[in-house]
Amino acid sequence: MSRTRVSRNPIAFVSVVVLVCCFVILALTMLRLPDPNMRATTHHSHKLKIGKFGEMMMEMLPDYLAFTVFLPSEKAFKRDLRLDPSDSFVGEKMNDTYAVVSRVLGFSAVPRSISSDSVAFGKEMSYDSISGFVLHVSKDEDGRLVVNGVRSERVDLGRKGSVVHVMDGVLMDAEFRQSVQYDGEED
């Protein structure tokens, strides 16, 4: 008898449907299902070792926005910027290190996700970094990304919702490159 009362009363019927939907939504949020869009980039995140400077750069980015970071390798930081993890984080050098790393982040980060699969072989794509520096991204015959002439070492690493490509060099404009060069430099 109650079944006929609910089906005849539209207010009672809508209330039951809304109640069932609320329970379904509550159950799904309690399960905390993974975001299907993040599945492709997060499976590498537990293996990602990017060094002290890379960690410093990634900590500067917000967690809630997607970025692509063309992150210099540890040897690129040492070779191109003369930054050594053993002495760059002590005393007054810490402020200088932070300034250099944050400037490099401005040249290296793009406010969108760019996976290596989205770059076609032989086609160059241009993106503006967060500092406005134009990055020309292409893929070489080995399947590695090339950004402004700098080749990647590893690609498509996930970190805090961002895509990280480890590069064998530092992306920077000519003015910044000149400011970090030293007088005794052989290069």
Side-chain angles (χ1 to χ4, degrees):
M1 181 154 164
S2 67
R3 184 174 204 213
T4 57
R5 231 186 288 166
V6 170
S7 62
R8 287 185 193 169
N9 186 351
I11 295 175
F13 179 73
V14 169
S15 298
V16 169
V17 169
V18 168
L19 183 65
V20 169
C21 289
C22 288
F23 280 125
V24 168
I25 291 171
L26 181 64
L28 289 176
T29 47
M30 290 186 75
L31 289 176
R32 294 182 184 233
L33 297 174
D35 184 10
N37 295 331
M38 294 305 296
R39 183 181 44 181
T41 58
T42 57
H43 70 281
H44 294 292
S45 64
H46 66 280
K47 297 179 183 177
L48 182 59
K49 293 185 180 179
I50 55 177
K52 286 184 178 183
F53 299 115
E55 291 288 340
M56 185 182 217
M57 283 178 70
M58 295 308 295
E59 289 299 318
M60 292 177 190
L61 292 174
D63 293 340
Y64 53 88
L65 295 174
F67 283 92
T68 298
V69 182
F70 299 100
L71 185 73
S73 65
E74 278 294 309
K75 71 177 182 181
F77 272 110
K78 190 170 189 168
R79 179 188 66 227
D80 298 343
L81 299 173
R82 305 295 191 257
L83 292 176
D84 188 2
S86 62
D87 70 341
S88 295
F89 295 102
V90 293
E92 292 183 22
K93 285 188 175 183
M94 181 61 184
N95 289 336
D96 294 339
T97 301
Y98 188 84
V100 169
V101 170
S102 64
R103 185 75 191 259
V104 169
L105 176 65
F107 294 128
S108 305
V110 176
R112 65 180 297 162
S113 293
I114 306 168
S115 69
S116 63
D117 294 337
S118 66
V119 180
F121 172 73
K123 183 179 177 190
E124 185 175 273
M125 303 168 75
S126 296
Y127 299 98
D128 286 337
S129 68
I130 56 178
S131 70
F133 184 60
V134 179
L135 301 176
H136 303 284
V137 181
S138 62
K139 191 182 284 187
D140 67 6
E141 61 276 353
D142 296 334
R144 293 183 177 203
L145 293 179
V146 179
V147 182
N148 294 11
V150 179
R151 288 186 69 195
S152 64
E153 290 181 356
R154 294 178 288 164
V155 296
D156 297 330
L157 305 171
R159 183 66 177 235
K160 291 179 19 174
S162 295
V163 180
V164 177
H165 305 292
V166 178
M167 308 300 288
D168 184 29
V170 180
L171 300 172
M172 56 185 145
D173 66 5
E175 182 181 329
F176 184 67
R177 181 179 306 278
Q178 190 174 23
S179 72
V180 295
Q181 286 181 342
Y182 294 94
D183 293 334
E185 188 171 40
E186 298 93 30
D187 296 342

